[in-house]
Amino acid sequence: MHLGRKTLSKFLIENVSGTQDGASLAALLVDVAAAVKAIAALSGKGALGGPMGSLDTINVQGETQKPLDVLSNNAFINTFQQGGLVAGVASEELDDPFPIKPPHKRGPFLAIFDPLDGSSNIDSNVSVGSIFSILLAPEKGLPETADYLQAGTRQVAAGYALYGPATIMVITVGHGTHGFTLDREVGNFILTNPNMSIPEDTSEFAINTSNERFWEDPVTRYVEECKAGKTGARERDFNMRWIASMVAEVHRIMMRGGIFMYPRDTKDMSKPGRLRLMYEANPMGFVVEQAGGKASTGRQRIMDIEPDQIHQRVPVILGSKNEVDRLVHYHEEYDAGTDKPYESPLFNERGLYRS
Ligand code: F6P
């Protein structure tokens, strides 16, 4: 038990409820936490909770749905419908956003969420997560899809929940990023990681290298330098991780630094990236920036992108500031035609370019 330690509710009352729309936003984040607890309980049961495997349904992303994808989606939707704090919801699992209609009450926010990210990991009992982004709803009328297409800089709150050995919820409302661990016996989220801070430097990178042949040159150059370690331009060894669960990947970076890349590639020319702007890149960008990290496509700050579609995909490069800056710089050089071979001494640790 953690009596005397700060609960999520207490934290929200103290830090959020005083701001504009703050009381409603604090209440909405309590609702998000309720959905997260339900999903934590469901996912924690594993095969005992019901059928595993895949359903016959394909979601709008072209991915085969899992039973837990659908249950998690329902947990969020039911919570938001009953909560009376959002005017509409957009889910990665649904074709289109939908407005909250009577008899349910509408509130001042729009909720955008990926109910179960990394769900290909469920059957092998590897960590999965939920990601959410909160925007202001239009003041009048039912929200339409265009109302959700706001740049990430306009998010009023964002966060993720990681269903790992412990369930952890990490949130930002634009004043730092804060982590809460679920005390399962009591059912409270307890503030365990206030003011999280991503180290500026790192020697750990995360990328799915099976896509290497589809990458652009700046990414190949960066990863080759990491792999060359002490004997290459970087003159130090790097470690690599790939969980294939973005939430787990981002949380590791929040805890000890690192760079995560799902860059633009030529695997499927109709998709400029794998990850979704509204459901994954923007909320994670907000969380990471509020912890001192950076989030970029390689050519643009993620949160500055003006969305044009609700399910839009973008390249994502995020994490420790100096490594993201380095890779952005490699993109600039490549686009300007001034990129140097990665063996160049100009780019080693003591060279002219030192991030
Ligand atoms: O849908 C997103 C996601 O599952 C992320 O959580 C993860 O980073 C990525 O896809 C994994 O992709 P891949 O299977 O190509 O490694």
Side-chain angles (χ1 to χ4, degrees), residues 63 117-118 208 242 244-246 260 262 274-276 280:
E63 296 162 346
D117 185 71
N208 182 345
W242 189 249
S245 178
M246 188 194 195
F260 168 90
Y262 219 119
R274 162 94 162 88
L275 302 177
R276 269 77 20 160
E280 292 162 322

Side-chain angles (χ1 to χ4, degrees), residues 230-296:
K230 275 197 183 114
T231 57
R234 303 299 303 271
E235 297 179 345
R236 62 189 157 99
D237 289 337
F238 280 73
N239 189 23
M240 198 203 86
R241 287 283 182 276
W242 189 249
I243 308 173
S245 178
M246 188 194 195
V247 176
E249 228 87 67
V250 168
H251 191 65
R252 184 187 61 249
I253 289 171
M254 296 295 295
M255 298 306 290
R256 67 181 193 207
I259 181 168
F260 168 90
M261 295 164 275
Y262 219 119
R264 175 184 294 277
D265 64 35
T266 56
K267 195 173 182 178
D268 175 350
M269 294 305 274
S270 69
K271 296 176 186 162
R274 162 94 162 88
L275 302 177
R276 269 77 20 160
L277 174 62
M278 307 303 290
Y279 309 101
E280 292 162 322
N282 267 341
M284 290 309 205
F286 195 15
V287 164
V288 162
E289 283 197 10
Q290 284 294 316
K294 284 204 162 176
S296 169

Side-chain angles (χ1 to χ4, degrees), residues 126-174:
V126 174
S127 297
V128 289
S130 303
I131 311 174
F132 67 94
S133 164
I134 307 294
L135 299 167
L136 287 176
E139 282 183 9
K140 290 198 190 104
L142 293 179
E144 294 171 4
T145 301
D147 295 313
Y148 295 78
L149 302 180
Q150 304 181 30
T153 48
R154 293 172 64 187
Q155 294 172 103
V156 292
Y160 63 80
L162 174 62
Y163 312 108
T167 291
I168 294 184
M169 191 164 146
V170 171
I171 61 168
T172 183
V173 293

